[in-house]
Amino acid sequence: MILPVIAYGDPVLRKVAKEITKEHPKLDDIIANMWETQYNASGVGIAAPQVGLSIRLFVIDASPFADDDDLTEEEQAVLSDFKRVFINPKIVEESGEEWAFNEGCLSIPDVREDVFRKEKVVIEYVDENWKKQTETLTGLAARVVQHEYDHIEGVLFTDKLSTLKKRLIKGKLANITKGKVSVDYRMKFPQAKKKR
Ligand SMILES: [Zn+2]
């Protein structure tokens, strides 16, 4: 089932999400719905708060990035296969040089900005089979994980911009909160005026 994507301005995107247990109600359905919602919106990842659930869960399928000709064959191979469910993840290490990448977010349509992040992460999590995993990631795989991880910490990529950039996009963000944005997937806007 495709769920509405929660738009910028909703308090659920600002909460530090809670860990879940294996017995979390309808977890399989939640994960299936998150995949469907993400693919429908042509995203590469979605975090539970973006569908209104303040739990520590996100899904990533970075395979669309594998077509990028600027990447090495090795990076393309990693990304083509980078489809994961992250439950109760914990970034245990972030290291390397900071590098910029033009990020977007399903909750913040029509806004894209360069964001600086460190190049490497080590992340521990459990997968959809409740198996414990530890992975070391670099480049775009690390980037997508850092972006989604921020969501479960109540952080959005726009928080990481310069004061000037923030000022420049302030109006656009306010419009998104009110639903004044054109988007081709279902969204829930915190301040949308009810249509008659
Ligand atoms: Zn996002």
Side-chain angles (χ1 to χ4, degrees):
M1 187 174 64
I2 294 167
L3 306 169
V5 176
I6 307 296
Y8 183 94
D10 191 298
V12 76
L13 296 177
R14 291 311 191 176
K15 282 188 195 157
V16 177
K18 295 261 190 320
E19 287 206 346
I20 54 171
T21 62
K22 209 173 174 175
E23 291 72 38
H24 191 86
K26 300 201 167 161
L27 186 56
D28 289 346
D29 290 345
I30 293 170
I31 292 169
N33 292 341
M34 282 171 66
W35 282 127
E36 206 179 328
T37 303
Q38 193 242 170
Y39 287 127
N40 174 64
S42 307
V44 291
I46 196 166
Q50 292 181 279
V51 293
L53 301 169
S54 191
I55 58 175
R56 299 183 82 79
L57 163 67
F58 55 81
V59 301
I60 289 175
D61 181 353
S63 56
F65 282 139
D67 302 331
D68 187 341
D69 293 331
D70 293 338
L71 300 173
T72 64
E73 272 181 39
E74 198 189 333
E75 282 176 301
Q76 288 180 340
V78 170
L79 292 168
S80 65
D81 203 27
F82 196 67
K83 181 177 172 180
R84 308 269 194 282
V85 175
F86 294 84
I87 299 168
N88 297 338
K90 193 167 186 229
I91 289 181
V92 289
E93 196 190 313
E94 254 185 315
S95 59
E97 292 276 306
E98 292 211 334
W99 63 292
F101 182 77
N102 201 250
E103 291 189 24
C105 179
L106 295 180
S107 295
I108 316 176
D110 263 2
V111 176
R112 296 199 71 92
E113 294 291 344
D114 281 355
V115 179
F116 282 86
R117 297 185 192 270
K118 288 185 177 158
E119 66 189 351
K120 186 176 147 187
V121 294
V122 181
I123 187 163
E124 294 175 353
Y125 62 98
V126 289
D127 64 20
E128 66 274 36
N129 302 313
W130 226 259
K131 195 170 166 238
K132 201 176 172 199
Q133 306 280 353
T134 304
E135 281 196 276
T136 301
L137 303 165
T138 57
L140 278 173
R143 167 75 51 169
V144 183
V145 162
Q146 288 161 319
H147 178 111
E148 299 308 331
Y149 190 82
D150 273 351
H151 274 299
I152 60 170
E153 292 288 304
V155 174
L156 300 168
F157 82 92
T158 47
D159 301 346
K160 298 186 176 286
L161 305 176
S162 69
T163 311
L164 174 65
K165 269 276 155 59
K166 278 182 192 151
R167 204 178 302 150
L168 289 172
I169 63 167
K170 209 178 161 191
K172 229 172 167 178
L173 293 178
N175 280 339
I176 291 170
T177 300
K178 290 177 201 146
K180 291 182 186 169
V181 63
S182 124
V183 56
D184 58 8
Y185 47 89
R186 248 178 101 200
M187 290 194 80
K188 183 171 166 265
F189 302 100
Q191 289 174 19
K193 292 244 162 59
K194 290 255 169 8
K195 284 198 187 108
R196 300 172 51 99

